[in-house]
Amino acid sequence: MTASAREVVLVTGISGSGKSIALHALEDAGWFCVDNLPPELLRDFLRLNGRRADRRVAIAVDVRSAGSLPHLLPLLGQLRAEGVQVRSVFLDASTDALVRRFSETRRPHPRSKEAASARPAAAAPPGDDDRRSLHRSLIDAIELERALLADLRGASVVVDTSQLRPAQLRLWMRDLVGAAPSVLTLIFELFAFKHGVPLDADYVFDVRMLPNPHYIRELRPLTGRDADVVAYLEAQPDAMEMLGQIEAFMRRWLPALADDQRSYVTVAIGCTGGQHRSVWFVETLARRFAAEHAGTLVRHREIDARETT
């Protein structure tokens, strides 16, 4: 195989989590994209495209290929051993978000039939109406799919799309595939606790106990990127102490994470509204680590949502 110089991105995840949007983003960025390629054809596909060593390939694989999934992870390991730069991105979302999306599109879940057949006949209470029964069947299908894809999720970088708009997901995908594939990618992600903890976080730090600039009228409309908010937080001893502790923790364990063959590590930092404290923490930490760690990315879930509206 002459694919050692080619990049391959595997796009997978839970049905309804945005795989089509992610694949279209890569296609727009110049990647050669294939949707729902059976895993057993992956090696032959790469061999056929071996003449184009400069071609970057993105392949979507989902639960429709469930019968072949047990063979996928060993195959990815073999390809990496042969020098192919393979990265796996797993899109996920909360069950509530997935139920809402399927309800809006009125499309059936690909595992709905299996979930219905596996459900005990007595699970639905007498007199249960059709709408409630369909809702329960959809949740069962989602949980079945999670179980089938659990191993693949554990071997991938996870992107939680529960709160993401399509424009945000497209941006985040371009950032992920743009990071250098040969180094561990360190992602600092901010979030608002009122919107939930990101499903893709490896480490979560809560900074809500620190002084909140929201309660200072002049600082309320600003963000943690603004100089006045930065000056306010840098004047808080507790904020500086926590910043130093998070930085020291990551510096202590980042080499061990890299030695463990981790490709991505996501550090999520949350405050109440995702506007002041968490923004300052993420921006400051990313700036400090980026100076010596090339694969450092920043995700502003709440701010990006407002900017892409």
Side-chain angles (χ1 to χ4, degrees):
M1 186 181 300
T2 59
S4 59
R6 191 194 303 118
E7 298 177 57
V8 177
V9 171
L10 185 72
V11 180
T12 183
I14 302 297
S15 300
S17 60
K19 293 189 296 296
S20 296
I21 294 173
L23 204 64
H24 291 161
L26 297 181
E27 189 173 32
D28 292 344
W31 290 67
F32 184 75
C33 299
V34 179
D35 190 11
N36 197 31
L37 181 74
E40 58 267 28
L41 298 181
L42 177 57
R43 182 180 290 278
D44 290 336
F45 172 78
L46 294 179
R47 185 179 293 112
L48 288 172
N49 286 271
R51 302 185 187 92
R52 294 287 303 275
D54 60 332
R55 174 179 283 177
R56 299 180 299 176
V57 176
I59 300 170
V61 175
D62 56 34
V63 76
R64 290 173 291 180
S65 302
S68 305
L69 289 179
H71 308 290
L72 180 58
L73 286 178
L75 175 58
L76 295 181
Q78 294 171 12
L79 291 174
R80 292 187 180 106
E82 295 169 10
V84 183
Q85 296 176 352
V86 182
R87 288 186 280 183
S88 179
V89 179
F90 190 99
L91 305 184
D92 202 352
S94 67
T95 299
D96 287 344
L98 294 171
V99 169
R100 183 175 64 252
R101 292 171 187 175
F102 274 103
S103 299
E104 290 172 351
T105 60
R106 300 182 180 274
R107 296 192 63 190
H109 190 280
R111 288 286 156 182
S112 56
K113 292 183 179 179
E114 290 89 337
S117 61
R119 183 182 177 190
D128 201 23
D129 60 27
D130 292 340
R131 180 177 299 178
R132 185 175 177 182
S133 179
L134 287 172
H135 180 80
R136 182 66 254 175
S137 296
L138 177 55
I139 293 177
D140 290 342
I142 292 170
E143 295 307 316
L144 174 60
E145 184 178 22
R146 290 194 192 282
L148 290 170
L149 298 177
D151 290 342
L152 187 56
R153 186 186 193 278
S156 307
V157 56
V158 181
V159 177
D160 178 12
T161 69
S162 305
Q163 303 287 334
L164 297 188
R165 292 182 171 86
Q168 285 179 273
L169 178 55
R170 287 192 290 268
L171 176 63
W172 286 18
M173 281 299 301
R174 289 195 295 267
D175 286 344
L176 277 175
V177 301
S182 59
V183 299
L184 182 145
T185 300
L186 178 59
I187 302 169
F188 289 102
E189 178 176 353
L190 74 85
F191 68 96
F193 271 96
K194 66 181 181 180
H195 296 311
V197 178
L199 298 176
D200 52 8
D202 295 298
Y203 299 97
V204 176
F205 295 97
D206 182 356
V207 299
R208 288 176 293 181
M209 76 292 294
L210 300 175
N212 191 351
H214 174 80
Y215 296 110
I216 299 176
R217 183 167 51 185
E218 294 80 7
L219 301 181
R220 182 174 300 177
L222 305 179
T223 75
R225 294 169 170 169
D226 292 301
D228 290 344
V229 176
V230 171
Y232 173 81
L233 290 171
E234 288 181 345
Q236 308 300 320
D238 286 347
M240 295 302 296
E241 181 177 359
M242 180 173 283
L243 180 72
Q245 290 175 344
I246 296 175
E247 180 181 2
F249 176 85
M250 294 310 304
R251 290 192 185 281
R252 167 63 181 85
W253 294 108
L254 202 57
L257 291 166
D259 291 341
D260 194 41
Q261 305 301 314
R262 294 286 295 271
S263 298
Y264 297 85
V265 174
T266 299
V267 181
I269 301 178
C271 62
T272 305
Q275 181 175 338
H276 298 103
R277 294 164 292 182
S278 57
V279 176
W280 174 72
F281 269 89
V282 163
E283 290 284 352
T284 304
L285 288 168
R287 186 166 55 252
R288 293 183 179 184
F289 278 88
E292 57 197 60
H293 189 81
T296 301
L297 300 178
V298 174
R299 291 180 182 166
H300 291 291
R301 191 179 74 179
E302 270 49 72
I303 290 182
D304 287 346
R306 290 193 290 269
E307 291 180 348
T308 55
T309 302

